Amino acid sequence: MKKYLLIDDDDIFNFLHSEVIKQVEKSPEITIHSSSIDALDFIKECVEQKINLPDYIFVDIRMPEMNGFELMDELMKLPLELFDQTKIYFVTSSLDQRDRIKAKDYPIVTGFKEKTITSELLKDM
Amino acid sequence: MDGSEEYNKLLKAYQDLQLRVTQFSFIEQKLINTQDKLDYELLLYKRLQNFNSAALKDLSMHDFVRLVAESVIDVLELESAVVLFKNETDDVELFLEGFPKQDISTTQYIDDTILLANDLEEGKACILNPNHFYNIPSFIQFYSGLFFQFTEKELGYSFVIIGFISIKKAPIYQLLQARHETIFSVFAQQAQSLLANKIKNDKIKNQIEKISSSEIELKKLSLIATKTNNSVIISDAEGRIEWVNEAFTKASGYTLEESKGKKPKEFLQGRNTDKAELKKLSEAIYKKENIQVTLINYTKEGAPYYNQIEVTPVFDEQGNHLNYISLQKDITQELINQREILRINSRFELITSKSNIGIWEWEASTNKVVWNDTLLLQYGVDKDNYDKMDFVNFWNNSVHPDDSERVEFNTNYLMTSDQEVLEQEYKIIKYNDKEVRIVRDVTIAERDEKGTLLRLIGSTLDITEERKNELELQHNLRQQELLSELALGLNNVSDFDSRINLAIEQVGLHTQVSRVYIFQDAENSKVSNNTFEWCNKNISSQKNELQGLSYESIPSLKSILLDKGLLYAEDISVLPNDLVPVLQSHDIKSIIIYPLYVKGVYFGFIGFDECLIHKKWLKSELELLRTISGIISNAFERDLSEKTLLASEEKYRSIIENINIGLLESNVNGEIVFQNKKFFELTLLDNASLLVIRKDAEADLKEKVLNGNILSYTKIDQSVYEIEINRLDHKLITLLVSCAPSINQEGEVSGYINAYLDITDIKQIEKAVLKKNDELKKINTELDNFVYSVSHDLRSPLLSIRGILDLISKTALLDDKTLQYLNLAETSAKRLDGTIQEILEYSKNARFDIELEEFNIVDMLNLIFEDLKFTSNNEVSLLIEIDGPPMICSDKSRMNTLLKNLIGNSVKYKRKSDTDSYVKFKLHRLSDHLLMEVEDNGMGISEKSIDKVFDMFYRGTKSSVGTGLGLYICKEIVNKLGGSISVKSELGIGTSMSISIPNNINYK
C-alpha cells in the first residue's frame, strides 16, 4: 500500500490526480493539501511522529503563500535522508523553462511532470 | 636630412681625394726616379764610349793606365781607382787616381794590389766589400769597390783595375750594385781588348824600329814577323811583294807564292775600300814616307776585313831606299768591340722605348740630330720619314707657340752657359694628328775640358696623361668643394630664396654656362614658373618671359625628364620639334635639364643653358649636375617640410585654442605652463593649478576632494577619471579628465598634460538612459512573468478540463455518442492548449537571447518524432540524412521548436490514404552554413497559398487543426538565428521546407 501526498492549490487537480491514482493503485493512502504550508506541517508532523513519509509527493509550483520551490527550500532544511524512500515530483502547468531548470537544484526532487498526470504516465513513474 | 652627415660625407670624399693626390705624386716621383736612373745610365754609356775612342789613340802605357784609372772614376763615378800593368819582364806601371795622400810607397801600393788580386778570380768583374780590404794597408780606408784583372799569357802581361768607395764617403755614392758590376765588366773588357791591341802594336813598332837599324835584325825581325799575329808584308822599292808572313796568309787567304811580285793594291782592295785613304797611301809610298791608314781589304774569298795599315819605307845606312815594310793590323775585333758598344746602346734604346722615354742627341759640330723611336712616336713622326727630317727645325716648329719662347730661351741658355742639365716641361703639337701633348725634357750638355759644347743629349717623357690626371684631380677637387659649399649653404633653409639664388650662382660660376635656372610647377602641375635664375655676363634674363610655362605647349619636356631623368642636348636642334623653336627663341645652343623631385613627386626642374657654344659635357660634369639637382631637390623638400611644419603648427595652435577640450599643461612641480581658452570656459577657474593632475593622479584627486576643489572622482580607465566639480556659478558639472605625461626631447618627463572634456550633458543623458534601461528591464521581467502567469493561469483550468475529459472517457459506461462528444471537447481543449503554447513560444523567441550549445540533432529529431507519434498515432516514417556527425551547434531550444513545428506539419498534413507517408530530414554542412531540409510526401500546399504560409495566423485549409502561428514562429526563429527559410510544394505531391542557418563551427 503506497502513500501519496498531493499538494496543489487547485482542488480539481487534487481530485483528478487522486482519481488517476485510484485507477492505478488498489487502495492507496492519499493525503491532499491545497496549501503548501499545511503540507509542510503535515510532513513535519510525520517526522515528529516518526511516521513514514509518503512514497510519492506531487507538488504544484505556482501556489499562493508558499510556492513549490519555497516548500522544497523548507524541506531541504530537514535531514535529507528522511526523503530517501520518497519520490517528489513537481507537477505543473507552467511552460516556463526557468522552472524546469530551477527544479534541478533540489536533490530531493525526482522529476518534473506536466499536468495532467494520466494513468499511463503514472504507471511509468 | 641631417646636414652635418652630408658635410662629413663630403669631407671624407675630400680626404680620399687628398690621399689620391699624394699617391699620384708618389707614382710621379717613382717615374722621375726611373727616368733619372735611365738618364744616369745613358750618361755612363756615353762616357764609356768616350773612353773607348780616347783609348784607341796612340798612347804611352803610362797614359793608357792613367786613362783607364780616370775612366774608372768618371765612367763609374767611383771615388778612387788603381790600375796596375805588369809585363813579362816585371816592368810595372801603376796609377792611383783619387787617392788621399798617404805615407805609403809606390812599391807598397804595387805589392798590396797584387796581394789583393791574388785572392780574386781572373777575367770576371766582382764587387768588393770591407772583408777584402781589412788586412791590406793601402786600401784599409775603403768600404766597397769593383775589381777586374786579367793575364794575357801569350803576350805576357797582367792588368788589374780596381775602383773604390771609402767608408767616409760611402753615403754620397750610390751603393754598388749588379748594375755597376755590369757596366764595370763591359768597361774592363773594353780596356782589356784595347790594351791587347796596344801591346801588339807597340811590339811591332818596336820591331820595325829595330829592323830599320840592321838587316840582320831585319831577318830576325822577319822571324818575329812570321810569328806575330799581325800581317806583315815586305815589298821592294816599287811596292811589289817580296814576302808575307803566315798571319797575312791567315788573314787574307793568299799564300806567299800567290802574293809574290804583286802590288797589294792589285788584289787586296775591293768595292768598299775607302778611295781617299787609298790615295793617301799611294802618295805616301810615292814620297817614301811613313803612313798609317785604315782600309777595308778583301780576303781571297772576298770577305772584307778592317785593316789598320802602317807602311814604313826601309833605307840602308847610305839612305838608299831598299823596300817597304807594311804592318797590317786586323782591327775587325776592335770594330766588334765598337759594335758591342752599339749593342749596349741598342739595349739601352730598348729600355728607353719600354719606359716610353724619348732620347735625342744633337752634335754641336755637325748640327746633326738623332732621335730614337719613342721620341719619333711622341712627336707623331712616321719612322719612314726619319731620314728626311730636319729635326732641329722640326723640333722648333713642334713646340707649342705658348711655350716656344721659353723653351728656346732655356735651351739657348743651356748651350751658352756652363749649365749642365736643363729640365723643362712644354707642350708640343704632334706632327701627324696635331694633338697637343705635354712633355718633360731633361737635356744634358756635354762639353770638353775647355768648356766647348760637344753635344746635347736629351730624354723626353710624355706626361700628358699624368698632367691630365692631375688636372682632372684638381677639377674633381673643385667639384667636391662646390658640392660641399652647396650642401652647407642649403643645409639651413632659413632665408631660403637667397640661399637658392646663391647656390645657382655658385653652380653657374663653376660650370661657366650661360644660364642656370629653376622652374617650379604651379599647383595644377600644368604650368611651371621660372622662380630662380642666374645669368652669366652678357647673357640676358628670361625669367619674366617664362612665367606660366605650359607643359601642354612643350609636351616632350616633361616626358623626357620623367623617362630619362634628364634632358641633354649638345645641339638643341636634335631635340623634339616642340622644344626646338622655344629654345631657339632664347638663343640657346646647348641645354641640360634635370627634374626636381619633392618627396618623390616631380615638381619642376633645374636647367643649364649654353648660348655661346655647342657645349659637350663630360660625364663627370653630368654626374656633378645630377648631384647638384639632387641637393637642390633636397633643399626644396626641406623647405617645404619646414613650411608644412609651420603651417601645421599654426593649424594645431588654432585647433588647440578652438577645441572643445580644456587643456592644461603643467611642469613636474604642478606649475601651469599652458592653458587654453576652453579650460577657463569649462571651469571658470582663475587659478588653473587647482585642477592640475600629475603622475600619481589618484593621490592628487584625493587631495582635491579633501580640499573641496572637486566633489568626487571616479576612475574610468588608465589615467582617465571622471570628476565632478561645483563651479563658481554653482553649476554642478562633470568633467572627463585624462592625464598624460609630456616628454621632452631627451625622453624625460617634463610635465603633464591634462585634457578636460565637459561630459555634464552626456552624464545626464547617460543617467536618464540607465534609468530608462532599468525601467525597461523591470517591465520586461514583469512582461515575462505576466506571459508565464497568464499562460499558466490559462492552462491550469484547461488542463484540468482535459484531465476530467480523460477521466470520463475512461469510465466504462459510456455510449458512443457521449464518447464522440468527449473527443470533440478534448480536441478543442488540446487546440486551445496548442495555441497557448505557440503564443508563449513566439513570445520567448522574440525576447530571449540566443544561447548556443552543441547537441545531437538526431536525438532531438527522434524525441520530437516520438512525441508526435504519441499524440497523433499516425503511420509516418522518419528518414534522416546527415553528412558527418550528428552534433551541431545552435540554439537548442529554438531548433527544437522549429523542427517540432516543421515535422509536426508533415505529420499533420500527411495524405490520409497513403500508407507509405514519410518525413525526411536532410542536413548538409557548408563551411559557414548548415542547410537543412524537411521534406514530405504529404498533401502539399496550393499555389495560391504558398506565398502566405509564413504569415501570422494564416491557415491554409479550413480543415487544418493549427493556430496559423506555427510557420510564422518558424520564420521568426530562423530570422533570429540569422538564417533563412523557404518552401517548395506541389499540391498532392508533397512539401519541402529549406532552412539555412549559420554554422557556428567556431563555437566553444
Side-chain angles (χ1 to χ4, degrees):
Chain A
M1 190 183 66
K2 294 269 164 67
K3 285 166 72 177
Y4 292 86
L5 171 60
L6 309 179
I7 311 161
D8 198 323
D9 60 320
D10 190 338
D11 282 329
I12 297 176
F13 281 109
N14 288 332
F15 166 73
L16 265 172
H17 288 147
S18 62
E19 286 304 303
V20 169
I21 291 164
K22 281 173 200 160
Q23 282 179 358
V24 176
E25 292 266 358
K26 277 273 158 59
S27 47
E29 187 188 318
I30 301 170
T31 310
I32 292 171
H33 283 288
S34 55
S35 152
S36 36
I37 295 169
D38 295 347
L40 180 62
D41 289 344
F42 166 77
I43 290 166
K44 282 179 176 170
E45 186 72 19
C46 286
V47 173
E48 256 172 53
Q49 303 287 326
K50 309 225 174 180
I51 300 166
N52 281 348
L53 287 179
D55 297 300
Y56 294 95
I57 303 175
F58 293 169
V59 191
D60 187 16
I61 291 174
R62 296 184 180 231
M63 291 181 289
E65 294 179 330
M66 181 187 278
N67 67 25
F69 293 128
E70 285 161 344
L71 172 63
M72 286 306 130
D73 290 337
E74 291 303 315
L75 293 185
M76 292 288 282
K77 291 172 186 168
L78 301 172
L80 294 185
E81 61 268 22
L82 291 173
F83 300 97
D84 283 352
Q85 301 303 316
T86 305
K87 287 182 174 176
I88 303 176
Y89 287 93
F90 280 122
V91 180
T92 179
S93 58
S94 165
L95 290 169
D96 194 336
Q97 204 66 22
R98 294 170 293 185
D99 290 346
R100 282 177 181 265
I101 292 161
K102 195 169 181 200
K104 289 180 179 161
D105 292 345
Y106 300 99
I108 52 174
V109 173
T110 307
F112 191 101
K113 296 290 167 190
E114 215 171 272
K115 282 178 180 171
T116 319
I117 295 173
T118 56
S119 51
E120 292 85 358
L121 204 59
L122 190 62
K123 280 173 193 161
D124 292 341
M125 289 158 73
Chain B
M1 177 174 289
D2 188 358
S4 69
E5 189 189 322
E6 191 88 329
Y7 174 71
N8 284 337
K9 265 190 204 163
L10 281 166
L11 194 65
K12 194 176 171 299
Y14 180 74
Q15 283 163 350
D16 282 352
L17 276 169
Q18 276 186 329
L19 188 66
R20 275 166 63 194
V21 172
T22 317
Q23 282 167 349
F24 269 118
S25 17
F26 176 69
I27 291 161
E28 190 196 5
Q29 191 54 50
K30 259 168 71 178
L31 262 172
I32 292 170
N33 288 346
T34 312
Q35 194 188 332
D36 286 353
K37 219 162 80 185
L38 287 167
D39 285 345
Y40 173 64
E41 278 191 27
L42 178 71
L43 198 67
L44 293 188
Y45 282 114
K46 289 285 165 193
R47 286 172 186 168
L48 209 57
Q49 213 168 3
N50 288 346
F51 163 70
N52 205 33
S53 49
L56 273 173
K57 286 174 188 159
D58 195 6
L59 299 169
S60 69
M61 186 52 72
H62 178 77
D63 286 344
F64 182 81
V65 169
R66 191 174 83 179
L67 176 68
V68 172
E70 283 169 355
S71 297
V72 167
I73 289 171
D74 287 351
V75 172
L76 297 152
E77 293 193 334
L78 297 179
E79 186 185 350
S80 315
V82 168
V83 178
L84 180 138
F85 172 82
K86 189 174 80 156
N87 68 7
E88 52 198 339
T89 54
D90 280 344
D91 292 333
V92 173
E93 197 68 62
L94 177 85
F95 194 85
L96 301 173
E97 177 75 23
F99 266 65
K101 277 206 171 132
Q102 294 183 99
D103 194 12
I104 293 172
S105 67
T106 309
T107 328
Q108 180 69 50
Y109 276 126
I110 293 168
D111 290 349
D112 283 352
T113 305
I114 292 169
L115 183 68
L116 179 64
N118 282 343
D119 288 344
L120 295 162
E121 224 178 305
E122 285 263 343
K124 189 168 178 279
C126 66
I127 294 176
L128 300 177
N129 59 44
N131 288 338
H132 291 106
F133 308 131
Y134 79 98
N135 58 354
I136 302 175
S138 305
F139 309 134
I140 194 96
Q141 77 269 28
F142 293 117
Y143 175 72
S144 181
L146 289 160
F147 177 90
F148 186 84
Q149 68 170 333
F150 60 91
T151 304
E152 178 60 70
K153 287 199 180 101
E154 205 170 317
L155 296 172
Y157 68 90
S158 53
F159 196 64
V160 178
I161 312 168
I162 317 174
F164 295 103
I165 289 173
S166 69
I167 298 164
K168 215 165 73 186
K169 294 195 175 165
I172 60 164
Y173 288 93
Q174 286 199 6
L175 215 62
L176 294 174
Q177 311 153 346
R179 188 165 60 87
H180 289 88
E181 199 178 318
T182 312
I183 298 166
F184 183 68
S185 182
V186 170
F187 167 76
Q189 274 161 10
Q190 272 189 40
Q192 181 186 4
S193 157
L194 288 164
L195 181 63
N197 272 319
K198 180 177 170 49
I199 301 278
K200 286 173 192 169
N201 273 353
D202 285 356
K203 268 192 177 159
I204 292 164
K205 262 195 206 159
N206 271 342
Q207 286 161 2
I208 289 169
E209 271 167 28
K210 279 176 186 166
I211 287 166
S212 70
S213 64
S214 127
E215 205 174 347
I216 300 153
E217 276 179 338
L218 181 71
K219 279 176 185 163
K220 232 163 97 186
L221 199 66
S222 73
L223 205 69
I224 299 162
T226 318
K227 295 296 168 197
T228 176
N229 285 332
N230 289 347
S231 305
V232 177
I233 301 171
I234 299 173
S235 57
D236 62 16
E238 275 81 52
R240 287 180 211 287
I241 294 172
E242 290 180 330
W243 184 84
V244 295
N245 69 349
E246 283 172 20
F248 174 79
T249 306
K250 210 172 153 192
S252 68
Y254 295 103
T255 61
L256 178 59
E257 287 74 32
E258 286 168 330
S259 317
K260 212 166 180 179
K262 290 180 186 162
K263 287 185 175 173
K265 64 176 179 187
E266 291 169 1
F267 66 103
L268 289 173
Q269 274 98 47
R271 191 162 49 92
N272 285 335
T273 308
D274 192 327
K275 297 289 181 293
E277 286 283 288
L278 208 56
K279 201 180 166 202
K280 256 161 74 185
L281 181 65
S282 302
E283 276 173 6
I285 288 171
Y286 179 74
K287 289 180 186 163
K288 299 182 182 9
E289 286 170 357
N290 261 334
I291 180 75
Q292 200 174 347
V293 291
T294 303
L295 284 177
I296 294 176
N297 282 353
Y298 288 83
T299 64
K300 199 174 164 187
E301 278 78 36
Y305 65 99
Y306 287 88
N307 236 358
Q308 199 175 55
I309 301 173
E310 192 173 337
V311 180
T312 313
V314 182
F315 301 91
D316 63 9
E317 271 96 21
Q318 286 79 37
N320 297 318
H321 177 231
L322 295 175
N323 50 20
Y324 295 96
I325 293 175
S326 166
L327 189 63
Q328 301 192 341
K329 190 165 66 174
D330 183 347
I331 58 162
T332 309
Q333 188 56 45
E334 276 172 35
L335 285 164
I336 288 171
N337 285 344
Q338 272 181 350
R339 281 199 194 111
E340 173 65 14
I341 288 169
L342 283 174
R343 194 183 64 80
I344 290 166
N345 266 344
S346 71
R347 196 182 67 157
F348 177 71
E349 284 279 336
L350 190 72
I351 296 168
T352 54
S353 68
K354 289 252 165 74
S355 61
N356 292 326
I357 295 175
I359 307 281
W360 57 269
E361 198 178 299
W362 170 79
E363 276 291 330
S365 56
T366 57
N367 197 27
K368 279 252 168 71
V369 175
V370 181
W371 287 27
N372 75 346
D373 293 351
T374 311
L375 192 61
L376 292 173
L377 210 64
Q378 281 173 3
Y379 277 76
V381 180
D382 191 351
K383 210 178 167 188
D384 297 341
N385 293 333
Y386 179 77
D387 293 337
K388 300 169 207 154
M389 300 286 289
D390 170 5
F391 281 110
V392 175
N393 204 13
F394 171 68
W395 179 71
N396 281 334
N397 289 335
S398 293
V399 176
H400 194 280
D402 289 355
D403 296 329
S404 61
E405 203 175 314
R406 172 174 61 88
V407 171
E408 196 185 338
F409 174 82
N410 286 341
T411 311
N412 278 337
Y413 184 78
L414 175 73
M415 290 165 73
T416 51
S417 69
D418 59 355
Q419 188 187 346
E420 281 178 6
V421 180
L422 166 64
E423 233 183 300
Q424 56 184 349
E425 266 179 44
Y426 49 87
K427 286 181 279 181
I428 59 165
I429 301 166
K430 276 173 80 180
Y431 179 73
N432 51 4
D433 54 12
K434 304 294 170 208
E435 191 189 343
V436 176
R437 308 288 295 182
I438 306 165
V439 296
R440 183 185 296 133
D441 185 19
V442 179
T443 308
I444 298 163
E446 268 190 36
R447 296 186 171 79
D448 63 11
E449 53 274 21
K450 286 175 209 152
T452 313
L453 182 68
L454 296 175
R455 61 184 69 84
L456 296 177
I457 303 160
S459 57
T460 306
L461 189 64
D462 186 325
I463 54 162
T464 315
E465 299 307 323
E466 197 181 318
R467 281 284 172 275
K468 256 192 199 161
N469 288 342
E470 274 176 23
L471 282 173
E472 203 172 319
L473 213 61
Q474 281 173 7
H475 186 70
N476 283 348
L477 269 176
R478 278 206 302 276
Q479 285 194 352
Q480 295 298 338
E481 276 167 14
L482 173 70
L483 287 178
S484 87
E485 269 174 34
L486 286 179
L488 282 174
L490 294 171
N491 195 20
N492 190 326
V493 288
S494 66
D495 200 7
F496 183 68
D497 287 3
S498 60
R499 282 173 188 274
I500 289 288
N501 274 325
L502 181 66
I504 61 171
E505 183 186 336
Q506 283 171 332
V507 177
L509 288 173
H510 177 83
T511 54
Q512 276 306 313
V513 285
S514 301
R515 217 181 272 124
V516 182
Y517 46 85
I518 291 171
F519 275 71
Q520 283 173 266
D521 284 7
E523 274 184 24
N524 60 13
S525 299
K526 284 186 178 149
V527 295
S528 204
N529 299 315
N530 187 345
T531 46
F532 297 94
E533 184 191 47
W534 173 85
C535 295
N536 212 332
K537 265 178 273 171
N538 303 326
I539 301 292
S540 60
S541 166
Q542 58 179 15
K543 191 176 169 187
N544 291 337
E545 298 164 44
L546 288 171
Q547 296 303 317
L549 176 75
S550 164
Y551 282 119
E552 273 170 28
S553 67
I554 40 168
S556 52
L557 173 65
K558 199 165 168 179
S559 68
I560 289 174
L561 289 179
L562 292 177
D563 285 357
K564 307 210 165 131
L566 88 163
L567 179 142
Y568 169 39
E570 195 182 327
D571 181 349
I572 55 129
S573 61
V574 304
L575 289 170
N577 290 335
D578 56 334
L579 293 175
V580 176
V582 181
L583 299 176
Q584 267 170 353
S585 70
H586 291 96
D587 295 332
I588 296 165
K589 286 200 166 64
S590 297
I591 194 163
I592 298 184
I593 298 178
Y594 282 95
L596 296 175
Y597 292 93
V598 162
K599 290 180 177 154
V601 178
Y602 173 92
F603 88 103
F605 53 86
I606 179 166
F608 307 87
D609 288 348
E610 182 53 64
C611 302
L612 304 175
I613 51 163
H614 290 301
K615 186 172 169 82
K616 187 180 168 74
W617 293 78
L618 297 175
K619 209 179 153 203
S620 65
E621 288 174 313
L622 291 174
E623 291 289 329
L624 175 76
L625 294 187
R626 181 188 298 285
T627 310
I628 287 167
S629 70
I631 291 174
I632 302 240
S633 274
N634 274 342
F636 273 102
E637 189 165 325
R638 221 163 25 231
D639 180 50
L640 188 76
S641 302
E642 215 140 291
K643 277 177 183 152
T644 314
L645 196 68
L646 278 173
S648 63
E649 254 184 41
E650 192 62 39
K651 199 167 92 189
Y652 285 122
R653 207 181 299 282
S654 135
I655 288 171
I656 283 169
E657 274 312 317
N658 299 309
I659 198 171
N660 214 12
I661 293 173
L663 287 172
L664 199 58
E665 187 181 354
S666 59
N667 62 17
V668 279
N669 302 321
E671 291 152 359
I672 305 296
V673 178
F674 169 80
Q675 72 180 93
N676 69 351
K677 217 160 58 186
K678 187 71 191 173
F679 179 81
F680 177 76
E681 290 171 9
L682 276 181
T683 60
L684 303 177
L685 270 180
D686 284 331
N687 184 2
S689 62
L690 293 178
L691 277 181
V692 166
I693 301 168
R694 287 170 299 172
K695 189 185 175 188
D696 191 355
E698 226 140 321
D700 277 2
L701 287 165
K702 255 178 207 158
E703 195 190 315
K704 286 178 204 314
V705 173
L706 283 175
N707 295 343
N709 296 327
I710 64 175
L711 294 175
S712 67
Y713 71 91
T714 317
K715 184 167 182 171
I716 303 296
D717 198 355
Q718 186 72 32
S719 312
V720 180
Y721 297 87
E722 205 177 279
I723 61 170
E724 265 190 326
I725 58 171
N726 197 350
R727 227 162 49 175
L728 274 179
D729 58 358
H730 303 297
K731 195 179 163 192
L732 205 64
I733 60 164
T734 311
L735 298 172
L736 192 68
V737 55
S738 77
C739 172
S742 62
I743 310 291
N744 65 13
Q745 285 177 340
E746 281 76 41
E748 300 156 342
V749 174
S750 60
Y752 298 93
I753 296 167
N754 301 140
Y756 287 90
L757 182 65
D758 185 348
I759 56 165
T760 314
D761 293 346
I762 298 170
K763 211 61 200 169
Q764 277 169 5
I765 293 166
E766 193 184 298
K767 274 177 191 161
V769 167
L770 281 175
K771 202 177 153 199
K772 207 89 188 168
N773 201 28
D774 283 346
E775 280 169 17
L776 279 172
K777 268 188 192 159
K778 209 171 144 197
I779 289 167
N780 209 22
T781 315
E782 279 167 7
L783 190 67
D784 220 24
N785 291 336
F786 173 75
V787 168
Y788 281 113
S789 299
V790 167
S791 66
H792 178 264
D793 293 353
L794 282 175
R795 276 191 93 202
S796 284
L798 190 62
L799 291 176
S800 62
I801 291 168
R802 285 181 67 191
I804 291 162
L805 289 173
D806 186 47
L807 267 181
I808 299 168
S809 67
K810 280 167 182 151
T811 310
L813 306 166
L814 291 176
D815 58 35
D816 285 353
K817 207 144 202 145
T818 314
L819 211 57
Q820 192 192 348
Y821 296 157
L822 277 174
N823 275 340
L824 285 172
E826 164 67 15
T827 306
S828 291
K830 202 172 156 191
R831 198 166 123 192
L832 181 56
D833 188 29
T835 307
I836 292 167
Q837 285 193 40
E838 279 177 341
I839 288 169
L840 197 63
E841 268 162 6
Y842 168 74
S843 149
K844 266 156 71 182
N845 179 55
R847 286 183 304 106
F848 287 127
D849 290 335
I850 291 172
E851 279 178 30
L852 293 178
E853 62 185 300
E854 212 171 3
F855 59 90
N856 188 322
I857 192 156
V858 176
D859 289 354
M860 178 182 274
L861 286 163
N862 285 329
L863 223 62
I864 290 167
F865 199 66
E866 284 302 309
D867 279 357
L868 286 167
K869 251 168 93 179
F870 184 71
T871 49
S872 67
N873 59 36
N874 276 319
E875 291 300 318
V876 176
S877 45
L878 173 70
L879 308 169
I880 299 174
E881 284 179 18
I882 289 178
D883 61 344
M887 301 305 285
I888 66 160
C889 176
S890 190
D891 186 311
K892 191 178 173 184
S893 155
R894 282 189 172 85
M895 278 302 285
N896 191 60
T897 309
L898 175 69
L899 293 172
K900 195 170 78 192
N901 272 298
L902 294 176
I903 293 168
N905 278 350
S906 291
V907 171
K908 248 186 268 176
Y909 303 111
K910 74 153 207 145
R911 282 202 297 267
K912 297 269 182 340
S913 53
D914 276 7
T915 49
D916 57 348
S917 292
Y918 68 86
V919 53
K920 192 192 275 177
F921 175 84
K922 292 193 226 168
L923 171 67
H924 180 57
R925 280 169 232 256
L926 295 178
S927 63
D928 53 349
H929 276 82
L930 296 175
L931 297 181
M932 288 178 275
E933 202 178 333
V934 179
E935 185 194 310
D936 63 51
N937 57 351
M939 291 155 66
I941 304 164
S942 69
E943 229 172 290
K944 64 173 185 187
S945 304
I946 199 151
D947 293 338
K948 300 175 188 162
V949 291
F950 295 112
D951 290 355
M952 203 179 207
F953 298 121
Y954 177 79
R955 285 188 291 167
T957 57
K958 281 183 185 158
S959 66
S960 75
V961 288
T963 55
L965 271 174
L967 286 177
Y968 175 72
I969 290 168
C970 287
K971 196 183 88 180
E972 289 299 300
I973 285 174
V974 173
N975 283 347
K976 187 91 179 181
L977 291 175
S980 62
I981 183 166
S982 63
V983 59
K984 263 193 279 180
S985 183
E986 208 171 319
L987 205 60
I989 303 287
T991 305
S992 166
M993 307 293 298
S994 299
I995 302 136
S996 165
I997 58 165
N999 184 6
N1000 300 296
I1001 205 155
N1002 295 322
Y1003 163 79
K1004 270 176 200 178

